[in-house]
């Protein structure tokens, strides 16, 4: 935080701060299944034969061969270090469903979305499976998929 006050009077009131810490999560290698097609909802591709499968060390759209008209399912596990309320923030292009430990936290069934959504849940210290389904039909937007996880006392 930098305040430059050499151009005239400056006044502040009701200033507060929150000390944050790093969140020490462990994420397993992420498995993915990629599908080709112009999908309107996730159910249209999850029962199909994938055109590409594999694993990656990080959640990324770079596993795709095409930037448009695709569906992809990512799966893995997250180990959380303590009992807490966790906020899961997804940033994506297209439609997305995020499930953690079988609970749906985000459900957007639009192939042309360009947004960020959040879902929270109480978790005990331990390891939990996650699944992210994503599909994109909007040729005007580049593919993107990110997942951020935080608690009230951690920085994102």
């Amino acid at each position: 935080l930098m305040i430059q006050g050499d151009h005239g009077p400056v006044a502040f009131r009701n200033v507060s701060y929150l000390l944050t810490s790093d969140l020490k999560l462990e994420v397993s290698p992420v498995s993915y299944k990629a599908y080709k097609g112009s999908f309107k909802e996730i159910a249209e591709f999850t029962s199909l034969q994938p055109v590409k499968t594999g694993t990656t060390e990080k959640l990324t759209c770079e596993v795709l061969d095409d930037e448009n008209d695709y569906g992809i399912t990512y799966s893995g596990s997250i180990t959380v270090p303590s009992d807490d309320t966790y906020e899961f923030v997804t940033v994506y292009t297209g439609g997305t469903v995020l499930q953690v430990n079988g609970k749906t936290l985000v459900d957007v069934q639009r192939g042309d979305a360009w947004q960020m959504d959040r879902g929270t849940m109480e978790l005990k210290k331990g390891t939990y499976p996650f699944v992210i389904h994503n599909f994109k039909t909007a040729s005007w937007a580049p593919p993107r998929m990110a997942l951020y996880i935080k608690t009230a006392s951690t920085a994102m």
Side-chain angles (χ1 to χ4, degrees):
L1 175 65
M2 182 180 116
I3 301 170
Q4 183 175 348
D6 62 349
H7 298 292
V10 177
F12 297 93
R13 70 171 86 171
N14 298 329
V15 175
S16 62
Y17 66 94
L18 172 66
L19 292 177
T20 61
S21 60
D22 289 335
L23 181 57
K24 305 289 187 198
L25 291 174
E26 292 181 32
V27 179
S28 70
V30 177
S31 298
Y32 64 87
K33 296 178 184 176
Y35 308 86
K36 186 70 180 144
S38 181
F39 306 112
K40 291 183 175 42
E41 60 183 36
I42 288 160
E44 291 179 359
F45 65 84
T46 54
S47 62
L48 298 176
Q49 189 71 8
V51 296
K52 186 176 181 182
T53 62
T55 59
T56 179
E57 290 299 314
K58 59 184 178 178
L59 183 62
T60 177
C61 292
E62 293 178 6
V63 300
L64 301 169
D65 295 325
D66 296 314
E67 288 194 359
N68 298 307
D69 294 330
Y70 65 80
I72 190 162
T73 297
Y74 304 94
S75 60
S77 61
I78 300 168
T79 301
V80 298
S82 59
D83 299 2
D84 210 330
T85 300
Y86 290 84
E87 181 177 25
F88 295 82
V89 181
T90 55
V91 181
Y92 56 92
T93 302
T96 294
V97 168
L98 166 65
Q99 297 170 322
V100 177
N101 202 31
K103 180 180 176 185
T104 300
L105 300 178
V106 174
D107 188 351
V108 176
Q109 301 279 337
R110 279 183 45 206
D112 64 347
W114 175 269
Q115 62 196 56
M116 174 174 68
D117 284 298
R118 302 166 188 270
T120 60
M121 69 185 304
E122 299 280 332
L123 293 174
K124 302 278 188 200
K125 178 181 178 178
T127 301
Y128 299 90
F130 73 89
V131 176
I132 300 172
H133 302 285
N134 176 239
F135 67 100
K136 177 181 163 304
T137 57
S139 61
W140 51 266
R144 66 185 184 145
M145 171 51 63
L147 176 64
Y148 302 97
I149 304 169
K150 68 179 199 159
T151 66
S153 63
T154 58
M156 183 166 69

